[in-house]
Amino acid sequence: LAIGSIALYAACSHYFLACAPEALHQDSRPPCKVDADTYLQRGWCRLEQWAFMAINGSAQMYVFDSSLSQLSSRRRWIEESVNVFNGHFTHEADKALLVDVVLGLYGLAVIAALDPSVAAGRHLTGGKGPQHVPQQASPPLAGPQLIELIAERRGLIFPRQHFGDLVDRLEAELEWGARESECLARESTSPSTTYRAARTARRTLDHTGSPSHRTCSV
């Protein structure tokens, strides 16, 4: 249940902290070293980061290894974390279970890019994060920038053997729904069911909980 709900929990959180100092994994035989790099390589760990970024961007994402820093200052990290299907999975069959999840998260990111008003419930970019965090070297990733990053690595993020043409069909449906919504708004008519459902889901996530009370700490 914990693994199955990890994407939803991360998406509903307002802050993300990856606690990954160098340590020994005592359950492995022999014990092996784990650190921020091994965390980043795991598929499920990439999924929780993808889920958070799809809704919140990267402004309130942090990692603690030897010290605390913002993930948006680590461009390579951000680029790797969205490649969920290139991460390490103990069971390769788990990848098939994530197609709908990753596709749904991408749809929520697309909705926010098409209609920024649905993401108006969260204003965390300028909020106060943890104290004593070094100034970031690059701006945080927000909705449109995330879409651009995904477009650059589309083939890796949505491998054809798992997604087929689902991404193309999702984009076409949402873009058509957005255009239809603009036209129907002038006629006081409701847009398509798919677009309306995605827009409602995104609004719900963006208005979930109190920013001071929900942190995804992993």
Side-chain angles (χ1 to χ4, degrees), residues 49-58 61 78 81-82 141 146:
Q49 295 177 83
W50 164 278
F52 186 90
M53 276 190 287
I55 304 303
N56 302 281
S58 65
M61 297 184 73
I78 296 295
S81 64
V82 296
L141 199 70
L146 177 61

Side-chain angles (χ1 to χ4, degrees), residues 24-37:
L24 284 179
H25 194 299
Q26 296 295 337
D27 291 338
S28 60
R29 294 291 181 268
C32 61
K33 186 187 81 168
V34 291
D35 54 19
D37 287 334

Side-chain angles (χ1 to χ4, degrees), residues 14-18 36 49 52-53 56-78 81 124-141:
H14 292 78
Y15 299 93
F16 186 100
L17 171 62
Q49 295 177 83
F52 186 90
M53 276 190 287
N56 302 281
S58 65
Q60 298 296 353
M61 297 184 73
Y62 304 88
V63 59
F64 179 85
D65 39 22
S66 59
S67 61
L68 186 66
S69 62
Q70 285 189 285
L71 282 179
S72 56
S73 68
R74 305 186 182 192
R75 182 67 181 183
R76 186 191 69 82
W77 182 296
I78 296 295
S81 64
L124 297 179
T125 302
K128 292 183 178 180
Q131 300 295 313
H132 311 302
V133 180
Q135 183 67 32
Q136 60 188 28
S138 57
L141 199 70

Side-chain angles (χ1 to χ4, degrees), residues 109-179:
V110 170
I111 282 290
L114 292 171
D115 182 2
S117 70
V118 301
R122 296 193 180 186
H123 300 284
L124 297 179
T125 302
K128 292 183 178 180
Q131 300 295 313
H132 311 302
V133 180
Q135 183 67 32
Q136 60 188 28
S138 57
L141 199 70
Q145 291 80 21
L146 177 61
I147 297 297
E148 291 175 8
L149 176 61
I150 292 171
E152 293 171 4
R153 293 163 176 75
R154 189 183 182 90
L156 294 174
I157 296 172
F158 305 115
R160 207 74 179 173
Q161 66 267 33
H162 292 293
F163 287 87
D165 66 346
L166 290 176
V167 178
D168 297 329
R169 292 166 61 184
L170 174 66
E171 290 173 335
E173 176 71 18
L174 294 179
E175 288 170 3
W176 177 81
R179 291 193 299 270

Side-chain angles (χ1 to χ4, degrees), residues 180-194:
E180 182 190 42
S181 179
E182 290 179 3
C183 295
L184 295 178
R186 293 190 289 268
E187 303 171 7
S188 299
T189 309
S190 298
S192 71
T193 301
T194 300

Side-chain angles (χ1 to χ4, degrees), residues 9-10 13 15-19 39 48 62 214-218:
Y9 186 87
S13 299
Y15 299 93
F16 186 100
L17 171 62
C19 187
Y39 168 82
E48 62 194 8
Y62 304 88
R214 181 162 293 154
T215 301
C216 183
S217 183
V218 293

